Amino acid sequence: MWTSDGTGAAGGAEGVRWAVFAAEQPRLARQVEERFTAHGPHVLGTVRRDGSPRLSGIEADFRFGELWLGMMVRSRKTLDLRRDPRFALHTDPGPSSDMASGDVRLAGRAVEATDPALLARFAAETDTPEPFHLFRTELTEVVRTYVDDPHIVLETWRPGGPLRVIRRGNGAEPPEEVTR
């Protein structure tokens, strides 16, 4: 459950930085990064002041061992994340719907970067127009879905837990689940 100060995470697990996730699940991290860098923009879900969801387009950037979300000054998504840091991030589906490279969803908490040196370094390396807001992600869930005919496969990871792999068919048979 999320704490009133926004520092907890769903399911009681604390979020982890990208480098921690990548060290723990290197294969899945490579696949997630490949999927996010293949197409864009992606879809960011934030929480509005009234508690309803807001969906916005966004670019995701993997740099300095982190997953970053950059935003225009005083954008609605910036204001949402400052008030409630929870987010969901979904990859752009790309030019086709064949699911060959899978579909990725991330959830977590966004932490605003305020260090002037870091912001200047990021802007210089990415050619980002200034001023801007930059948020580092702390992941609470990573889900990759893909087709391995005749199955749909879901790989789900949460901090402190194993990688769960669920294979579902189109028939009445129950899904298979493997924990790695």
Side-chain angles (χ1 to χ4, degrees):
M1 171 162 318
W2 285 86
T3 59
S4 60
D5 65 0
T7 59
E14 291 295 322
V16 300
R17 294 167 85 149
W18 179 259
V20 172
F21 164 67
E24 188 173 321
Q25 296 292 332
R27 180 196 56 81
L28 181 57
R30 271 190 315 279
Q31 291 169 325
V32 167
E33 190 168 345
E34 286 171 7
R35 191 64 190 86
F36 271 102
T37 56
H39 304 283
H42 307 291
V43 179
L44 177 70
T46 58
V47 181
R48 295 173 187 252
R49 183 182 311 278
D50 68 1
S52 63
R54 181 188 316 274
L55 297 178
S56 307
I58 194 161
E59 296 292 335
D61 193 277
F62 295 85
R63 193 172 304 275
F64 320 133
E66 302 285 1
L67 169 55
W68 299 99
L69 305 174
M71 300 166 206
M72 292 180 356
V73 171
R74 299 204 39 83
S75 66
R76 293 290 181 192
K77 55 193 161 197
T78 296
L79 299 175
D80 288 348
L81 290 173
R82 283 180 165 176
R83 185 180 53 261
D84 184 333
R86 294 176 293 174
F87 74 89
L89 184 62
H90 190 273
T91 53
D92 178 302
S96 72
S97 60
D98 67 3
M99 296 282 289
S101 61
D103 179 62
V104 175
R105 298 179 314 271
L106 307 176
R109 180 175 173 266
V111 178
E112 189 166 9
T114 57
D115 176 41
L118 172 64
L119 294 171
R121 181 177 173 204
F122 187 90
E125 288 194 19
T126 61
D127 203 26
T128 299
E130 296 187 62
F132 65 100
H133 296 286
L134 186 63
F135 290 83
R136 174 179 49 79
T137 63
E138 293 181 355
L139 303 174
T140 58
E141 183 179 51
V142 175
V143 178
R144 178 173 178 253
T145 306
Y146 61 95
V147 175
D148 183 16
D149 202 23
H151 297 96
I152 293 178
V153 182
L154 290 96
E155 295 178 319
T156 304
W157 175 87
R158 291 187 175 161
L163 177 66
R164 293 178 54 219
V165 180
I166 301 166
R167 298 175 63 83
R168 294 183 181 156
N170 287 327
E173 70 279 358
E176 303 170 29
E177 183 171 340
V178 177
T179 303
R180 297 182 197 163

